[in-house]
């Protein structure tokens, strides 16, 4: 929540998500800020001028040549504390990236002095298009805050990356940008993150798995990307969609994760091993479904140990690399800290993010409470909050 009243320009461009821009404007107005809406002609095909004027309590501006005497195309940009463009279409992003200004919004963005926040919304194919990706990289490298897009149901029957982020997230990003909290401290860093739970097959149908949802790893990937890093996520089984804009490598077993981590890690500055990796796998996976009748009331499985990826990685790391491990333990209090310290020493990583897990704690939840241990000193950093907030604080430790 921002304190002093701000002058905010909300740019609305021609996408179906324009209806969600109404909620963005409403939030700003509710918080006491002055909002000028600049809509493109296309935006007004999706949402009506009366709605936007009633919500913003100001006339909606569209044309470059309306009220030229007020030199609006320069004044609005110069005066705005922040410009928020939601939704930002692929076409709009391309214009911003190349400095084109065919309309009032383009001119205002070029003439601005404050931060620019864009919330892309488009079909997955357009988002994935190398041209759009290059434009997004250009904008990020210039400090533009890119919020989302999220992954989910799109306008048609399809779903995927391209859905505009929720209004609250866009509003929060705008306030962060104004207060200078929008960090780009990971610009130029390459971060490899593992997440989710591995699955070790018993037979073609069954597996040994764990309750990791991958939410904390996905939150880390999202925040690292927003803070400017180039992120690759090696994902085992996830229960949440990874953010758009990162590279994704999907694996299933610990052995697959081992191979990907060892192959990719030399090219990364920071490796964060947030995945829940199975310590064991079947010594031989049955080629056909195991039958109950074959086993006379008992089923005996022979498991063999998986490679400890984190330990191997830490022993192979270069002096510049930072390796971060995770440890989920059911112990509490001093026992938890002792286990964490032992694990940090045994694995040889630079940091260990320690959290207490239980039937109702840690797995699948949206909140987390962790302690970050460091190999270089005795500091114990305690962090709690949403998994996104925890991700931020964890990244702060070594950013
Ligand atoms: O020993 P433990 O499984 O508690 O260690 C957890 C940390 O080690 C996590 O960072 C996890 O990703 C990593 N790990 C690993 N390879 C394994 C088991 C765990 O890299 N086989």
């Amino acid at each position: 929540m921002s304190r002093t009243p701000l002058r905010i320009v909300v740019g609305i461009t021609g996408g179906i998500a324009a209806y969600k821009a109404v909620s963005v404007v409403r939030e700003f107005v509710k918080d006491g800020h002055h909002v000028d809406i600049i809509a493109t002609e296309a935006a007004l095909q999706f949402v009506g001028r009366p709605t936007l004027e009633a919500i913003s309590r100001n006339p909606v501006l569209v044309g470059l040549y309306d009220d030229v005497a007020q030199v609006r195309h320069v004044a609005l940009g110069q005066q705005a504390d922040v410009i928020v463009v939601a939704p930002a279409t692929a076409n709009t992003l391309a214009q911003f990236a190349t400095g084109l200004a065919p309309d009032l919004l383009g001119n205002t963005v070029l003439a601005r002095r404050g931060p620019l926040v864009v919330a892309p919304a488009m079909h997955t194919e357009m988002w994935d298009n190398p041209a759009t990706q290059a434009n997004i990289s250009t904008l990020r490298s210039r400090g533009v805050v890119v919020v989302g897009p999220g992954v989910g149901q799109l306008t048609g029957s399809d779903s995927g990356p391209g859905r505009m982020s929720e209004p609250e997230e866009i509003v929060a990003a705008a306030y962060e940008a104004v207060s200078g909290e929008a960090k780009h401290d990971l610009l130029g860093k390459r971060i490899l993150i593992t997440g989710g739970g591995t699955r070790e097959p018993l037979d073609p149908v069954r597996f040994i798995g764990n309750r990791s949802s991958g939410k904390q790893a996905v939150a880390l990937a999202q925040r690292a990307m927003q803070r400017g890093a180039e992120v690759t996520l090696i994902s085992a089984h996830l229960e949440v969609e990874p953010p758009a804009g990162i590279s994704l490598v999907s694996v299933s077993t610990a052995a697959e994760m081992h191979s990907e981590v060892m192959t990719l890690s030399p090219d990364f500055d920071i490796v964060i091993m947030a995945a829940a990796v199975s310590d064991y796998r079947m010594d031989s996976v049955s080629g056909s479904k195991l039958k109950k009748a074959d086993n006379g009331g008992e089923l005996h499985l022979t498991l063999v140990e998986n490679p400890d990826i984190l330990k191997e990685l830490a022993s192979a790391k270069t002096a510049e690399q930072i390796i971060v491990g995770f440890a989920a333990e059911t112990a509490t209090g001093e026992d938890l800290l002792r286990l964490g310290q032992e694990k940090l020493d045994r694995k040889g990583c630079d940091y260990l993010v320690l959290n207490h897990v239980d039937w109702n704690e840690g797995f699948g939840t949206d909140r987390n409470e962790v302690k970050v241990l460091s190999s270089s000193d005795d500091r114990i950093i305690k962090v709690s909050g949403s998994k996104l907030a925890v991700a931020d604080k964890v990244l702060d430790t070594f950013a």
Side-chain angles (χ1 to χ4, degrees), residues 203-219:
D203 64 20
V205 185
R206 306 179 181 97
F207 58 83
I208 300 173
N210 59 67
R211 293 178 56 217
S212 170
S213 64
K215 279 187 181 175
Q216 189 61 71
V218 164

Side-chain angles (χ1 to χ4, degrees), residues 272-284:
I272 306 176
M273 299 282 292
V277 184
S278 173
D279 290 326
Y280 295 93
R281 67 177 185 277
M282 287 283 276
D283 71 337
S284 83

Side-chain angles (χ1 to χ4, degrees), residues 83-161:
I83 300 181
V84 179
V85 182
T89 59
N91 178 56
T92 304
L93 294 167
Q95 284 175 19
F96 292 169
T98 46
L100 286 172
D103 52 18
L104 184 61
L105 181 60
N107 278 269
T108 306
V109 164
L110 270 188
R112 80 185 189 282
R113 293 194 175 127
L116 173 63
V117 176
V118 296
M122 65 199 73
H123 275 278
T124 303
E125 290 81 358
M126 295 187 193
W127 173 254
D128 284 342
N129 190 293
T132 306
Q133 286 305 310
N135 291 331
I136 286 287
S137 298
T138 302
L139 292 170
R140 278 209 180 98
S141 71
R142 294 180 189 151
V144 174
V145 178
V146 181
V147 188
V151 179
Q153 185 77 47
L154 301 171
T155 318
S157 53
D158 48 347
S159 70

